[in-house]
Amino acid sequence: MCAMRAARTMKAFGVLLVSVCMLAMSAHAGSKLYVAPDGSNDNPGSRKQPLRSLREARERVRQIVKGGLEADVEVILREGTYWLAEPLHLDERDSGTSQHSITYTAYGNEDVVVSGGTQLTDWKEGRGELWVARVPEGVDADFRELYVGGRRAVRARTPNGAMIPLTGADMPGRGKEASISVSPDCIGAWKDNDDVEVLINANWAINWKPVASVNDDGRVSLGSPSIQGPRYNIPRKGRWCFFENARSMLNQPGEWYLNEKSRKVYYWPRKGESMEEDTAVAPRLTHLLTVRGSKDTPVRNVHFRGIRFMHAGWELPKAGYRGIQACHYIDPVTGKGGTNRAIPSAITFRHARDCSIEDCRIAHLGASGVRLAHGCRENSVTRNRVYDVSGNGIMVGLSTERQARLVPVGTRVRNNRVYNCGQEFWGAIGIWVGFAKNVSVTHNLVRDLPYGGISVGWEWNPSPKPCKNHTIAYNHIHHVLKRLADSGGIYTLGYQPGTELTGNHIHHVLRGPYAMGSPNNGF
């Protein structure tokens, strides 16, 4: 018995010794955590026993960081869709060091999707060509986008693919009711629908407003208060609009409508689509990923590679959207915001250093794509595809100079493909650089945009600002300004000593059929 007990003791000691050696080797060679949609958060996170959620992976990484990071860490995501219940927030507890990195990456060439949306299932045939599904319990029925079979559906609108001229507009000032007028022939059965909105175009921005009431004579009340701010983009006679979001407007394939009260979604499938087979996704989150350190303790050396970030939305302000420029806006109620308030981005870095997002796809978004903001230094956005975005594609910098010490420095935006942005907010820019220093925007393809391609600077006078030493080089920019006016392939603002524009290929700077006012240019 003693011999058997001794043998078992030696065996247990051997197992312990091997485990210790393996941990030591792992700490030296690097730590790897595996995650898979069919994994379990009770698993160790090995290749054969992966974790299930990104949140649990983050918690495991935090434990490694807390113990002292002695090697690089990889969080390896296996193929599938990771449906987020909340954004993935990273802070100082999730930081690498100057010596060791933390990387969230797809496994090989597997298709990894991080989604802020929810699937709409259990579709049933409705009247005519329409199919109907109910918004799942626990999900707010206020989304503005729907993606079917990987394509953005068109929110039901009138007229289809065209716009209506304004025959008049009354913008009397703060606290008073605003209205526009159109031909009475343009008013349809939707006039008594409480959910209707109107898009009104202008020179270099748009206005989105909820419709308060509609008269048979063509007068459309936009409620109180009226649209505030400078008058150059305020609705007036001769501008154009279309109406959106009523079931009676749903009259062709690819269109959809959400009834918030009944929580029902109506959709007319495109040719070849099957609501019993194709996935339908509606956004439920505004943000997918935030990397946010502090001024004294930035997040360092954290990287994201090979991941598809998709299906984030943005709820329009209750009183509507008053566009200024480059997806910055004024609150129609207070008149505040303007050049300081931007449509949010699905992915945001603040107080991050030596971080990167590479070889990712950022798409199917109801707001903007990626932004590097306060306190960011020496980060890179490289070889990504940013497309089918409602707002701006890639943003670097701040919208106010009051925080000059916090402007991003040394950001590299290179070899990205940015296209089909501004799907909802036509004043969008492909790559926007605000108050920032030493930013290089190089070798990017920027195309098919309603407004400008690349915009650099954020000041309308020649006084010195914290914006300088940028390199905008060897970018291919084409088919821009397809809807609005007063921009170019590359658009610069303010006094920017040391900024150089070199070797860019710009062609097909267009002018949309409803553009007004100012000219469009290459530069």
Side-chain angles (χ1 to χ4, degrees):
M1 294 292 294
C2 292
M4 291 176 62
R5 190 180 302 114
R8 286 197 298 267
T9 301
M10 290 299 295
K11 183 178 180 180
F13 177 75
V15 171
L16 177 62
L17 181 62
V18 170
S19 299
V20 171
C21 290
M22 290 181 67
L23 285 171
M25 290 173 63
S26 175
H28 177 73
S31 299
K32 294 185 178 181
L33 285 171
Y34 288 83
V35 191
D38 60 353
S40 170
N41 288 336
D42 295 327
N43 284 343
S46 64
R47 183 172 179 177
K48 292 185 177 180
Q49 294 180 293
L51 303 171
R52 182 180 179 86
S53 72
L54 290 173
R55 180 174 179 176
E56 180 61 26
R58 181 195 65 184
E59 296 305 311
R60 301 289 181 97
V61 172
R62 283 183 177 176
Q63 292 304 311
I64 296 173
V65 172
K66 187 176 180 180
L69 200 60
E70 298 180 357
D72 295 342
V73 175
E74 280 189 292
V75 178
I76 302 170
L77 309 181
R78 300 306 304 262
E79 186 165 5
T81 300
Y82 297 82
W83 302 98
L84 299 179
E86 60 184 21
L88 180 63
H89 296 296
L90 304 184
D91 57 31
E92 300 96 319
R93 296 169 292 176
D94 310 295
S95 177
T97 66
S98 57
Q99 292 80 29
H100 300 299
S101 62
I102 296 173
T103 302
Y104 292 76
T105 182
Y107 179 87
N109 293 321
E110 291 188 353
D111 186 16
V112 173
V113 177
V114 173
S115 173
T118 187
Q119 287 183 275
L120 302 182
T121 58
D122 194 26
W123 288 89
K124 293 180 172 57
E125 290 189 73
R127 293 182 180 178
E129 302 292 339
L130 301 186
W131 285 68
V132 186
R134 189 174 292 275
V135 179
E137 293 300 322
V139 176
D140 291 336
D142 59 0
F143 47 86
R144 299 174 57 82
E145 298 82 31
L146 178 68
Y147 305 95
V148 180
R151 292 192 292 174
R152 181 183 293 244
V154 177
R155 206 169 180 222
R157 56 169 285 184
T158 187
N160 294 323
M163 300 188 79
I164 299 168
L166 301 189
T167 58
D170 185 14
M171 301 289 142
R174 185 174 299 172
K176 299 180 180 178
E177 182 181 274
S179 67
I180 58 173
S181 296
V182 298
S183 170
D185 296 340
C186 299
I187 304 300
W190 50 268
K191 74 183 187 70
D192 296 322
N193 189 299
D194 294 335
D195 299 326
V196 172
E197 298 173 356
V198 59
L199 180 149
I200 308 164
N201 82 320
N203 283 2
W204 52 87
I206 62 166
N207 296 288
W208 273 109
K209 283 284 287 184
V211 171
S213 63
V214 181
N215 294 338
D216 290 333
D217 62 2
R219 183 178 181 274
V220 179
S221 171
L222 304 181
S224 177
S226 63
I227 298 174
Q228 301 297 308
R231 298 201 60 82
Y232 41 72
N233 277 327
I234 283 185
R236 62 172 181 259
K237 181 180 179 179
R239 290 191 167 157
W240 301 81
C241 74
F242 67 79
F243 298 93
E244 189 175 88
N245 199 38
R247 183 175 174 180
S248 61
M249 300 175 187
L250 207 171
N251 57 7
Q252 66 178 10
E255 287 191 334
W256 70 285
Y257 163 66
L258 167 66
N259 186 312
E260 293 190 23
K261 293 180 181 178
S262 68
R263 299 177 60 84
K264 289 182 178 180
V265 179
Y266 299 83
Y267 179 65
W268 186 332
R270 299 179 177 98
K271 184 178 180 180
E273 288 179 338
S274 169
M275 302 314 295
E276 296 170 331
E277 297 178 5
D278 287 309
T279 302
V281 181
R284 63 182 301 183
L285 301 180
T286 300
H287 303 285
L288 301 177
L289 168 67
T290 64
V291 179
R292 184 168 184 168
S294 64
K295 182 179 178 181
D296 297 326
T297 313
V299 175
R300 294 178 179 269
N301 210 357
V302 175
H303 310 277
F304 302 88
R305 293 176 183 158
I307 300 169
R308 289 204 287 162
F309 291 96
M310 296 184 172
H311 309 136
W314 181 54
E315 185 178 356
L316 203 70
K318 187 174 181 180
Y321 172 87
R322 162 77 170 93
I324 292 293
Q325 188 169 330
C327 288
H328 290 68
Y329 66 97
I330 285 175
D331 187 319
V333 174
T334 65
K336 297 179 180 179
T339 59
N340 300 333
R341 179 175 293 172
I343 292 174
S345 296
I347 299 173
T348 305
F349 292 77
R350 297 183 69 166
H351 293 292
R353 298 191 178 187
D354 300 307
C355 297
S356 70
I357 180 164
E358 300 179 355
D359 298 311
C360 292
R361 294 187 185 185
I362 298 136
H364 305 330
L365 304 178
S368 294
V370 182
R371 184 169 190 176
L372 290 91
H374 304 72
C376 285
R377 290 180 175 268
E378 305 301 330
N379 302 296
S380 65
V381 182
T382 307
R383 296 188 304 275
N384 302 287
R385 288 175 60 187
V386 183
Y387 62 97
D388 191 26
V389 174
S390 291
N392 295 326
I394 298 171
M395 303 180 69
V396 180
L398 310 184
S399 306
T400 173
E401 64 168 319
R402 291 194 299 271
Q403 299 168 310
R405 292 177 297 175
L406 299 180
V407 301
V409 177
T411 305
R412 300 173 297 280
V413 181
R414 57 193 179 192
N415 290 302
N416 300 284
R417 297 170 63 187
V418 182
Y419 56 99
N420 292 340
C421 300
Q423 292 284 321
E424 291 183 78
F425 303 98
W426 295 351
I429 296 291
I431 300 174
W432 178 87
V433 179
F435 289 120
K437 296 179 182 178
N438 304 348
V439 176
S440 63
V441 180
T442 59
H443 298 281
N444 299 283
L445 171 64
V446 181
R447 64 172 177 84
D448 290 292
L449 300 169
Y451 188 51
I454 297 174
S455 181
V456 187
W458 201 239
E459 184 57 59
W460 290 261
N461 64 59
S463 60
K465 303 293 179 183
C467 187
K468 61 185 69 176
N469 298 328
H470 303 311
T471 300
I472 315 299
Y474 306 106
N475 300 285
H476 185 187
I477 306 163
H478 66 91
H479 288 87
V480 296
L481 284 152
K482 295 171 73 172
R483 290 190 181 273
L484 300 182
D486 194 54
S487 187
I490 299 176
Y491 182 75
T492 62
L493 278 162
Y495 178 62
Q496 298 183 41
T499 292
E500 295 185 358
L501 282 60
T502 305
N504 299 283
H505 182 196
I506 302 173
H507 59 94
H508 285 85
V509 176
L510 306 174
R511 190 175 189 85
Y514 307 105
M516 305 182 66
S518 308
N520 298 341
N521 306 279
F523 291 100

